[in-house]
Amino acid sequence: MIARMSDAVDDRDGTAAGGGHGGVAGEGDAPPPTLRARRIAAWRAAPRVLARPGFLAPLSERLALLEAAGGVYDLDEDSDIYGNGVVEALERRVAGLLGTEAAAFFPTGTMAQQVALRCWAGRTGNPAVALHPLSHPEVHERNAFSQVSGLRPVRVTDEPRLPTAAEVRDFEEPFGTLMLELPLRDAGFVLPSWEELTGVVDAAREREAVVHFDGARLWECTEHFGRSPAEIAGLADSVYVSFYKSLDAFGGAALAGPAGLVEEARAWRHRYGGNVFQQFPTALSALIGLERELPRLPEYVRHARVVAAALREGFAAGGLPWSRVHPEVPHTFDFQVWLPYDAEVVAEAAIRAAEETGSMPFANYWDPRGPGLASTEVYVRAAALEWTAGDVRTAAEEFAGRLLRRAAAPA
C-alpha cells in the first residue's frame, strides 16, 4: 500500500465517509472530508495517540527540530554546496556507524538503490537482481528498476518472508545481485534469524553474486539480531539506510560500501539529478536523529512486544471473533494488525474512537486485504512509551466493542 503514514504519498483512503450528504452534493457545497483528512485531523487533536511520527506534525514543530543542530555540528562552519560541509560530515558518521569504507548521501532511497544496483550490474555483467516480490522497489517504485535503470528483477520466493538459503542456492537462473530488504515491510516488518541471514548471504556468494541490503530500517534491526549496525551491514557488499523512517529526519538516505563503489555511485547520483545544491536542513536533521533517536530504538522494539501482546489480550477480552497481530512477537518496533472487517468500517471506527474518547491506538491507514478483511501498521516510538500494557489492553477492548456494536447494528 502507498498511503501509509510512513510513506504518505497519495490518498488511498480518500473516499468520503460519513458526515456528508445522503445524495449528490449541490452546486457550491463543499465536499465532505476524506477519510484521510479526518484521520489526520483526529490524530492531531487526540490527547493520546500511540504513534506520533514527526513528519505529520505542523511545520513549526518540524522546524523546531533544528534547534538541536548546534549540538551535532558546528553552525559557524560554511553551509554545504553540492555535498560538502555538513553533508560530508553526515557521510563520515554513517560510514563509521556501518563499518564501511565510505558512504554517499542521496536525497531519496529510491535513487540510492537504483544507483547501487546499476553499479553492481556493471561490475558483475549481469543486470538480473534477485529480490522478493514484496520488496520496496517491486511494490512502491513504479517499475523503476526496469524503466529507468535497465535492470531485470527476478523473484526468488513468493512466501511472505525473506528467502531461504536453499531458495537462493537453487534458484533456476543466474543473477548478479541479491537484494534483501531488512525488515521486509510489506510482509509485516519480518526478519530472519541471524543464522538464516548469514546462510542466505553465503548461498548468494556461492553463486558469485553480490549482496545488497535494502536497510531503510536497518537501524531498528539490532535488537532482533543482537548485533550492531556495523555487524549487520558487514554481511553485505553494500547497504542503503534511510534517515527519516527510523530516525525522524526530514528525509534523505545514504548508500554505504567499498570506496570504489561509493565513488562511482556519486557520479551516477549526479546523472540522476541527486547532486542537490544545498541540503543542510536534511543533513542536520539526520545527524540529530543519529544522536537522539538511534540510541532509543532498542527500547522501542522491546516496548513494541509489550504493545503487541496487550493488543491481542484486549481484542480477545473485547470479544472479537478473530484478530491477528503479525508477527506475534514483533521483530522491530513496527508490526501489522489484521481484523475481520472491511477497511472503511475499521477506519471509521478508529477515527470515531479518537474523536469521542481522545485516545487513538490506531492512527494509520487501514489497507483492504480482501472481502471483510483489513490490516494496518502499528508504530511504536517515543509516544508509545507513555502507554502501559494496561492502557493498550483497555483501548483494544473498547475498539473491539465498537466494531462489534457496528457489526450488530441494522443496515
Side-chain angles (χ1 to χ4, degrees), residues 46-319:
R48 297 203 75 201
V49 180
L50 187 65
R52 286 199 184 276
F55 62 82
L56 283 181
L59 279 173
S60 58
E61 291 184 24
R62 294 301 281 156
L63 289 172
L65 177 67
L66 294 180
E67 292 175 2
V72 298
Y73 190 74
D74 184 357
L75 300 184
D76 289 328
E77 291 286 333
D78 292 339
S79 184
D80 63 298
I81 296 177
Y82 290 124
N84 64 2
V86 65
V87 176
E88 287 182 335
L90 174 60
E91 291 172 339
R92 289 192 297 270
R93 179 76 184 277
V94 170
L97 286 168
L98 298 179
T100 60
E101 291 181 353
F105 179 87
F106 278 78
T108 71
T110 298
M111 184 186 295
Q113 297 214 107
Q114 282 195 53
V115 165
L117 296 172
R118 183 167 197 151
C119 290
W120 284 126
R123 290 165 181 243
T124 64
N126 188 331
V129 178
L131 76 174
H132 197 285
L134 291 178
S135 61
H136 195 278
E138 288 290 87
V139 178
H140 300 288
E141 296 178 16
R142 299 193 177 192
N143 307 115
F145 275 12
S146 58
Q147 297 299 313
V148 179
S149 302
L151 304 175
R152 184 169 62 87
V154 294
R155 300 178 171 188
V156 182
T157 180
D158 289 324
E159 294 297 319
R161 52 157 174 75
L162 272 296
T164 65
E167 288 167 339
V168 171
R169 188 177 292 112
D170 299 336
F171 191 67
E172 62 270 18
E173 59 179 304
F175 53 84
T177 305
L178 172 67
M179 192 191 93
L180 299 173
E181 182 177 331
L182 302 177
L184 187 56
R185 182 232 183 127
D186 280 287
F189 302 94
V190 296
L191 289 164
S193 69
W194 181 254
E195 292 72 23
E196 289 168 337
L197 180 60
T198 56
V200 168
V201 170
D202 289 343
R205 297 266 163 73
E206 289 172 20
R207 299 187 57 138
E208 299 184 348
V210 298
V211 177
H212 171 77
F213 284 169
D214 175 343
R217 296 172 173 83
L218 181 139
W219 308 115
E220 58 200 70
C221 298
T222 58
E223 185 74 9
H224 174 83
F225 287 134
R227 300 292 194 280
S228 68
E231 290 176 286
I232 300 169
L235 291 180
D237 297 283
S238 61
V239 59
Y240 135 69
V241 290
S242 173
F243 296 127
Y244 76 89
K245 286 186 169 69
S246 304
L247 303 178
D248 204 26
F250 295 166
L255 173 64
L261 176 82
V262 172
E263 189 64 26
E264 182 184 359
R266 293 180 196 277
W268 280 106
R269 180 183 65 187
H270 198 164
R271 294 182 181 116
Y272 274 70
N275 198 29
V276 180
F277 181 57
Q278 287 194 314
Q279 300 181 98
F280 64 89
T282 300
L284 286 170
S285 71
L287 285 170
I288 293 167
L290 290 170
E291 184 71 21
R292 287 183 167 186
E293 285 296 298
L294 184 59
R296 304 192 69 184
L297 301 190
E299 180 184 15
Y300 298 164
V301 176
R302 292 190 292 269
H303 194 60
R305 296 167 183 168
V306 173
V307 171
L311 284 173
R312 289 196 305 273
E313 294 167 6
F315 289 147

Side-chain angles (χ1 to χ4, degrees), residues 349-350 352-353 356-357 397-407:
R352 288 188 179 273
E356 295 170 8
T357 70
E397 184 174 353
E398 190 278 334
F399 191 71
R402 185 178 292 270
L403 286 172
L404 289 170
R405 289 191 297 273
R406 175 160 183 139

Side-chain angles (χ1 to χ4, degrees), residues 17-19 33-43 348 351-352 355:
T34 65
L35 272 176
R36 182 174 186 269
R38 290 179 57 213
R39 174 169 58 85
I40 293 177
W43 175 88
E348 181 69 24
I351 293 166
R352 288 188 179 273
E355 293 170 343

